Amino acid sequence: MTPSTPPASGRATMHDVATHAGVSLKSVSRVVNDEPGVSAALGERVRRAVAELGYRHNLAASNLRRGRATGAIGMLVQDVSNGFCAEALRAVEDRARERGIVVMAASSDEDGPREREVVAGLVARRVDGLLLMPTSPDLGWLAAEIDAGLPVVAVDRRPAVPEIDAVVVDNRGASAEAVGHLVAHGHRRVAHLGDDSTIITAAERLDGYRSALRATGVVPDPALELTGLRSREAARDAVLALLDLPDPPTALFAARNVICEGAVLALQQRGLTHRVALVGFDDLPVAEMLDPGITVVTQNPHEIGTRAIDLLLRRLDGDTSTRTTEVVPTSLIRRGSGEIAGPDGARAVGA
């Protein structure tokens, strides 16, 4: 059969490719869907026709014919502009690309109604699965979709329901390590600067702060526990207010990266960067360039994102094993700000 000329106008179809290549429609379908058993010569013939006609394969339609959804997954993060979220999202995109899967991403802005609205939109578009940084640990509103077979993996935040897989870090343990580090350097007036305590990660870090103080014989002072700090500016103002107390803190634990930035600004404004110790949770792009460098609990958002999508892909591939929670390790990176000695001096050798 002699190949025909390309269509004069309009978007090329699979039928056009078959006619142009002089092969059957089934042959074209097997090539564009990467099915086995296609000879090299036939594959090359079809791919040449695809290129000449500018054909674009309709992956969604193909997946629907196979009983699958759209070849896309949804990912809802707290804020795509946040460094932690952006790095986790990039890891997900890289792994998804290897499987020919498209990632639809959006921000929740810690807004429950917005979260539900975005998820409803993703589900309406028939995403194969969902990666979610939950605004709250209660995901009961997703029960119907989960019962209907939608795989869901919670990222960074532990859900309250056991039916959902999760990839998290040990926020309590990591925060306790950070605060214990400050106490070991002679600080007993350690302030906690946290996000909204209704957020599960913020609540866990506050709990870790309190447990570390109690474990070292320090009675937590409610006046030094500040939560609901949603921006760098709010954190800066909170630290300035703490520094004006009759008995101000000698050390700060900033339980989120943007909060740590605000704490740095406040200490710089007061000229106290070498006198008040500081440990942050999550790294900062400029942490090593400041004087002193900022001591931080660092997570690995790339590994968190990679593990999350790998877990989701296993579910999409048919894994029906018991739901699991994977815990990614954190590290305390000592750069100087967390090693400033307090009034009691260092309490532990090599702390």
Side-chain angles (χ1 to χ4, degrees), residues 128 144-151 316:
D128 292 342
E145 299 301 338
I146 294 171
D147 290 344
L150 179 71
L316 290 173

PDB file of all heavy atoms in Angstrom, residues 128 144-151 316:
ATOM      1  N   ASP A 128      -5.392   9.775  38.819  1.00  0.00           N
ATOM      2  CA  ASP A 128      -5.206   8.388  39.230  1.00  0.00           C
ATOM      3  C   ASP A 128      -4.992   8.271  40.733  1.00  0.00           C
ATOM      4  O   ASP A 128      -5.325   7.245  41.340  1.00  0.00           O
ATOM      5  CB  ASP A 128      -3.996   7.784  38.514  1.00  0.00           C
ATOM      6  CG  ASP A 128      -4.230   7.629  37.028  1.00  0.00           C
ATOM      7  OD1 ASP A 128      -5.402   7.659  36.606  1.00  0.00           O
ATOM      8  OD2 ASP A 128      -3.245   7.488  36.289  1.00  0.00           O
ATOM      9  N   ALA A 144     -15.178   8.897  51.061  1.00  0.00           N
ATOM     10  CA  ALA A 144     -15.926   8.376  49.913  1.00  0.00           C
ATOM     11  C   ALA A 144     -15.014   8.108  48.726  1.00  0.00           C
ATOM     12  O   ALA A 144     -15.152   7.089  48.030  1.00  0.00           O
ATOM     13  CB  ALA A 144     -17.039   9.351  49.525  1.00  0.00           C
ATOM     14  N   GLU A 145     -14.063   9.020  48.476  1.00  0.00           N
ATOM     15  CA  GLU A 145     -13.149   8.838  47.345  1.00  0.00           C
ATOM     16  C   GLU A 145     -12.200   7.670  47.599  1.00  0.00           C
ATOM     17  O   GLU A 145     -11.890   6.892  46.685  1.00  0.00           O
ATOM     18  CB  GLU A 145     -12.350  10.123  47.114  1.00  0.00           C
ATOM     19  CG  GLU A 145     -13.191  11.335  46.780  1.00  0.00           C
ATOM     20  CD  GLU A 145     -14.033  11.160  45.540  1.00  0.00           C
ATOM     21  OE1 GLU A 145     -13.684  10.301  44.698  1.00  0.00           O
ATOM     22  OE2 GLU A 145     -15.048  11.860  45.406  1.00  0.00           O
ATOM     23  N   ILE A 146     -11.741   7.553  48.849  1.00  0.00           N
ATOM     24  CA  ILE A 146     -10.842   6.443  49.185  1.00  0.00           C
ATOM     25  C   ILE A 146     -11.577   5.118  49.055  1.00  0.00           C
ATOM     26  O   ILE A 146     -11.052   4.141  48.503  1.00  0.00           O
ATOM     27  CB  ILE A 146     -10.287   6.622  50.612  1.00  0.00           C
ATOM     28  CG1 ILE A 146      -9.388   7.869  50.662  1.00  0.00           C
ATOM     29  CG2 ILE A 146      -9.509   5.388  51.057  1.00  0.00           C
ATOM     30  CD1 ILE A 146      -8.968   8.265  52.057  1.00  0.00           C
ATOM     31  N   ASP A 147     -12.822   5.075  49.536  1.00  0.00           N
ATOM     32  CA  ASP A 147     -13.623   3.847  49.413  1.00  0.00           C
ATOM     33  C   ASP A 147     -13.873   3.494  47.944  1.00  0.00           C
ATOM     34  O   ASP A 147     -14.023   2.317  47.600  1.00  0.00           O
ATOM     35  CB  ASP A 147     -14.960   4.021  50.133  1.00  0.00           C
ATOM     36  CG  ASP A 147     -14.808   4.072  51.647  1.00  0.00           C
ATOM     37  OD1 ASP A 147     -13.736   3.680  52.137  1.00  0.00           O
ATOM     38  OD2 ASP A 147     -15.747   4.528  52.325  1.00  0.00           O
ATOM     39  N   ALA A 148     -13.911   4.538  47.098  1.00  0.00           N
ATOM     40  CA  ALA A 148     -14.146   4.309  45.669  1.00  0.00           C
ATOM     41  C   ALA A 148     -12.872   3.880  44.945  1.00  0.00           C
ATOM     42  O   ALA A 148     -12.899   3.604  43.740  1.00  0.00           O
ATOM     43  CB  ALA A 148     -14.712   5.566  45.021  1.00  0.00           C
ATOM     44  N   GLY A 149     -11.747   3.823  45.680  1.00  0.00           N
ATOM     45  CA  GLY A 149     -10.516   3.313  45.093  1.00  0.00           C
ATOM     46  C   GLY A 149      -9.445   4.330  44.786  1.00  0.00           C
ATOM     47  O   GLY A 149      -8.429   3.989  44.160  1.00  0.00           O
ATOM     48  N   LEU A 150      -9.620   5.600  45.202  1.00  0.00           N
ATOM     49  CA  LEU A 150      -8.599   6.608  44.943  1.00  0.00           C
ATOM     50  C   LEU A 150      -7.436   6.438  45.917  1.00  0.00           C
ATOM     51  O   LEU A 150      -7.609   6.595  47.117  1.00  0.00           O
ATOM     52  CB  LEU A 150      -9.187   8.010  45.099  1.00  0.00           C
ATOM     53  CG  LEU A 150      -8.193   9.164  44.876  1.00  0.00           C
ATOM     54  CD1 LEU A 150      -7.823   9.259  43.395  1.00  0.00           C
ATOM     55  CD2 LEU A 150      -8.778  10.489  45.371  1.00  0.00           C
ATOM     56  N   PRO A 151      -6.229   6.119  45.418  1.00  0.00           N
ATOM     57  CA  PRO A 151      -5.079   6.027  46.313  1.00  0.00           C
ATOM     58  C   PRO A 151      -4.665   7.420  46.799  1.00  0.00           C
ATOM     59  O   PRO A 151      -4.563   8.354  45.999  1.00  0.00           O
ATOM     60  CB  PRO A 151      -3.983   5.413  45.435  1.00  0.00           C
ATOM     61  CG  PRO A 151      -4.684   4.876  44.229  1.00  0.00           C
ATOM     62  CD  PRO A 151      -5.881   5.745  44.033  1.00  0.00           C
ATOM     63  N   LEU A 316      -0.902   2.313  42.794  1.00  0.00           N
ATOM     64  CA  LEU A 316      -1.465   2.342  41.450  1.00  0.00           C
ATOM     65  C   LEU A 316      -1.143   1.066  40.677  1.00  0.00           C
ATOM     66  O   LEU A 316      -1.897   0.655  39.796  1.00  0.00           O
ATOM     67  CB  LEU A 316      -0.939   3.558  40.688  1.00  0.00           C
ATOM     68  CG  LEU A 316      -1.442   4.922  41.168  1.00  0.00           C
ATOM     69  CD1 LEU A 316      -0.712   6.042  40.443  1.00  0.00           C
ATOM     70  CD2 LEU A 316      -2.944   5.052  40.946  1.00  0.00           C
TER      71      LEU A 316
END
